[in-house]
């Protein structure tokens, strides 16, 4: 199950992402919105991130104009590692090395076909573990220390 969240800038791109999920046979939880009325991205970013953090979804994809606001929001939820990506190489490495469980995309930054390639890459790559697991563990230790203060 894949969580998807967006804002009003990203309806068309969300449809393109859903096409990729359908191609890959993956179901999704749509955290909205589904109208082009102005929408505050933190609401859907948080919803999608919580769906991943709580284990209802394995991975998440969030989209706003730049991918920045919604990605920053997702990263505020404990357990989330959301990579803001604009090209497939970063999407690949976000999975292989960073074990990112979400990506954020900018609907006003990249085209639909690049977004589809990013999403396909992110959803089909695997975490390599090994030394990268140690580093991801160190990232999560920082989060742990923050929440313990
Ligand atoms: C909306 O105008 C825009 O600010 C939003 O989509 C996003 O780019 C914020 O980071």
């Amino acid at each position: 199950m894949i969580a998807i969240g967006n804002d009003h800038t990203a309806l068309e791109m969300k449809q393109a992402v859903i096409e990729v999920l359908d191609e890959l046979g993956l179901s999704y939880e749509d955290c909205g919105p589904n109208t082009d009325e102005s929408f505050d991205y933190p609401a859907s970013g948080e919803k999608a991130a919580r769906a991943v953090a709580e284990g209802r979804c394995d991975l998440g994809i969030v989209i706003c104009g730049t991918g920045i606001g919604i990605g920053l929001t997702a990263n505020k939820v404990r357990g989330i590692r959301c990579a803001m990506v604009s090209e497939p190489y970063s999407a690949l490495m976000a999975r292989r090395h960073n074990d990112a469980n979400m990506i954020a995309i900018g609907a006003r930054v990249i085209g639909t076909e690049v977004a589809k390639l990013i999403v396909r890459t992110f959803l089909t790559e695997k975490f390599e573990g090994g030394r990268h697991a140690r580093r991801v563990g160190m990232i999560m230790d920082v989060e742990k220390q923050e929440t313990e203060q």
Side-chain angles (χ1 to χ4, degrees):
M1 179 80 85
I2 309 298
I4 311 179
N6 57 287
D7 74 358
H8 54 282
T9 66
L11 282 187
E12 200 184 314
M13 191 161 282
K14 178 162 80 171
Q15 283 319 309
V17 168
I18 289 171
E19 272 176 37
V20 175
L21 298 182
D22 289 343
E23 273 170 33
L24 296 173
L26 296 168
S27 53
Y28 59 92
E29 180 174 324
D30 185 352
C31 300
N34 283 300
T35 74
D36 58 9
E37 270 170 52
S38 182
F39 184 88
D40 297 334
Y41 56 79
S44 54
E46 180 188 358
K47 209 169 161 189
R50 293 208 185 280
V52 175
E54 289 163 12
R56 286 198 308 286
C57 291
D58 307 300
L59 296 170
I61 299 162
V62 285
I63 321 164
C64 67
T66 58
I68 296 172
I70 205 161
L72 290 174
T73 307
N75 276 317
K76 293 293 178 191
V77 174
R78 201 175 302 150
I80 295 302
R81 291 178 300 280
C82 181
M84 296 159 210
V85 296
S86 299
E87 31 69 38
Y89 178 74
S90 297
L92 181 97
M93 299 314 275
R95 284 297 298 134
R96 281 191 187 170
H97 286 192
N98 310 115
D99 199 19
N101 49 13
M102 294 185 71
I103 49 168
I105 302 173
R108 289 174 171 165
V109 180
I110 59 169
T112 296
E113 289 308 314
V114 175
K116 286 168 85 168
L117 202 53
I118 285 172
V119 168
R120 224 174 266 128
T121 304
F122 177 66
L123 295 176
T124 54
E125 277 299 322
K126 296 273 175 285
F127 181 48
E128 283 178 1
R131 67 187 186 282
H132 303 297
R134 183 180 68 247
R135 293 162 186 166
V136 172
M138 288 170 72
I139 297 174
M140 301 323 284
D141 283 347
V142 175
E143 178 180 272
K144 200 159 169 261
Q145 283 162 33
E146 282 298 302
T147 53
E148 278 169 0
Q149 276 169 15

